[in-house]
Amino acid sequence: MKKQVCSTVFPLLCILLFLSAEAQTCRPIGRIQGENPPPGQCNTENDSDCCKDGKWYTTYKCSPPVSSQTKATLTLNSFEPGGDGGAPSECDNQYHSDDDPVVALSTGWFNHRERCLKYINIHGNGKSVRAKVVDECDSTMGCDSDHDYQPPCRNNIVDASKAVWKALGVPENKGEMDIYWSDTD
């Protein structure tokens, strides 16, 4: 009887562990093909990329699981009118000063606006900063006028204002850096 239970329970346990790991995996949903933007239509402020003709870009609806120390890539974004962020912020349809610590999160972390106007803690370079989520860094679409002819965001991006970079003591021209973030209590 003991052998029968072990031989039945062990495979079931393995399947449950596999399904649990699968549920935490974020896979691409597709790809979009880039086209060169019309002249003057892609804002390259803060070293933003513009879509390139014929290049394929991966799209996601998900992001890695959120934890007390979620690993991410910090990028620089302007949330001001005329900045590389493009349109007003998704959460409040407003522009925000780059002197304020604000961020846009990749689509999965933005979570259908669930984090709108809430704060997150960002840890990097031995320092921490509290920033408000005001926008989505769209991982599902890009290369069009709505997205300033920029590619879709990767699924692990915290796109931050200059104030966040300054608070972390990192030069704005660094491009991107590895960070950890968490929801505030």
Side-chain angles (χ1 to χ4, degrees):
M1 179 70 170
K2 202 180 223 181
K3 276 187 175 181
Q4 186 179 13
V5 170
C6 287
S7 65
T8 304
V9 172
F10 184 75
L12 185 60
L13 185 58
C14 287
I15 289 169
L16 288 174
L17 288 173
F18 175 78
L19 290 175
S20 175
E22 281 293 300
Q24 304 235 352
T25 301
C26 179
R27 296 208 166 116
I29 58 166
R31 299 184 319 160
I32 58 172
Q33 189 171 17
E35 296 180 15
N36 289 333
Q41 294 297 304
C42 181
N43 186 335
T44 57
E45 179 184 15
N46 300 319
D47 294 324
S48 294
D49 291 330
C50 297
C51 292
K52 293 179 179 46
D53 196 35
K55 183 172 180 181
W56 288 94
Y57 299 94
T58 304
T59 57
Y60 295 87
K61 280 188 179 176
C62 56
S63 293
V66 175
S67 69
S68 61
Q69 287 193 322
T70 306
K71 187 174 181 179
T73 300
L74 188 73
T75 56
L76 181 61
N77 186 48
S78 175
F79 294 85
E80 294 184 348
D84 62 335
S89 296
E90 183 79 19
C91 293
D92 58 7
N93 201 34
Q94 302 289 315
Y95 289 102
H96 296 269
S97 169
D98 290 335
D99 295 328
D100 294 333
V102 294
V103 299
L105 297 177
S106 292
T107 296
W109 290 334
F110 189 67
N111 195 19
H112 308 285
R113 302 173 78 115
E114 286 294 316
R115 287 193 170 85
C116 265
L117 306 178
K118 295 181 181 174
Y119 287 86
I120 64 170
N121 292 317
I122 300 170
H123 309 278
N125 197 38
K127 299 183 179 187
S128 295
V129 62
R130 185 172 177 252
K132 185 190 287 188
V133 177
V134 297
D135 208 354
E136 174 183 15
C137 193
D138 198 338
S139 305
T140 65
M141 299 176 66
C143 298
D144 57 14
S145 61
D146 286 349
H147 297 89
D148 199 32
Y149 296 97
Q150 295 174 11
C153 264
R154 293 175 306 222
N155 67 341
N156 66 336
I157 297 296
V158 175
D159 210 13
S161 65
K162 291 178 182 181
V164 170
W165 285 76
K166 185 176 181 180
L168 295 175
V170 180
E172 297 165 15
N173 64 355
K174 184 170 171 76
E176 57 183 50
M177 76 178 232
D178 292 335
I179 54 133
Y180 291 94
W181 72 273
S182 60
D183 291 309
T184 59
D185 294 330

